[in-house]
Amino acid sequence: MRCILLLTAAITLFGLAGGCSNDRPNDEPISETSDLQGRLEAAMAVTDIFGRNDALIKVAEDSAIQGDPNVVRTAIGEIRDPFAKNESAANAALKLAASGEVAGATEVAKMITDPARRNSVLSKLAKGEYSE
């Protein structure tokens, strides 16, 4: 019975949160940078390590696609799983370069701790080969 009450309370809270409107007029554009920064802050606030890593990986990927190397570096720096961190950094570096942020991509590639993977990504960046 207790589980049902907790589940009902959780569903109610999610429903209320999802139904809230914002004060922004519909014709006002959303700032991509503030959106990414807000998502980064939310991801960093997740206390479950697996959920946190997953959220940070997604924020890093989306930030790379949108060309924001600062959010990418911060998100990747907060990932605790070394393998996931290296893979996220490699993928984000190539996506950042594809978005025109080659200098930022190089800095992200330097975050890769596996020497072979780091050299592979840096080589691709140097050759202008931004696909995975």
Side-chain angles (χ1 to χ4, degrees), residues 9-23:
I11 292 171
T12 303
L13 286 175
F14 284 123
L16 290 174
C20 294
S21 65
N22 61 27
D23 296 327

Side-chain angles (χ1 to χ4, degrees), residues 5-60:
L5 290 174
L6 289 174
L7 182 59
T8 303
I11 292 171
T12 303
L13 286 175
F14 284 123
L16 290 174
C20 294
S21 65
N22 61 27
D23 296 327
R24 185 183 58 80
N26 288 337
D27 58 346
E28 182 180 317
I30 297 173
S31 168
E32 288 178 359
T33 302
S34 65
D35 176 56
L36 293 171
Q37 187 63 38
R39 289 178 55 202
L40 174 63
E41 291 171 14
M44 290 171 53
V46 174
T47 57
D48 170 65
I49 191 70
F50 299 109
R52 186 175 195 267
N53 283 342
D54 286 345
L56 288 165
I57 290 166
K58 182 63 174 157
V59 169

Side-chain angles (χ1 to χ4, degrees), residues 53-132:
N53 283 342
D54 286 345
L56 288 165
I57 290 166
K58 182 63 174 157
V59 169
E61 178 183 8
D62 292 349
S63 299
I65 291 168
Q66 293 182 25
D68 190 331
N70 295 325
V71 172
V72 171
R73 281 192 303 269
T74 303
I76 290 171
E78 292 292 325
I79 297 170
R80 297 295 171 237
D81 177 333
F83 178 78
K85 185 175 194 168
N86 282 339
E87 285 306 302
S88 183
N91 293 334
L94 296 173
K95 285 179 169 63
L96 265 175
S99 75
E101 289 286 340
V102 180
T106 301
E107 291 304 311
V108 170
K110 290 178 181 178
M111 296 175 76
I112 301 169
T113 58
D114 174 8
R117 185 74 165 127
R118 181 179 55 241
N119 286 331
S120 172
V121 173
L122 287 169
S123 178
K124 285 182 178 185
L125 295 175
K127 294 176 186 175
E129 299 170 356
Y130 307 142
S131 62
E132 293 180 40

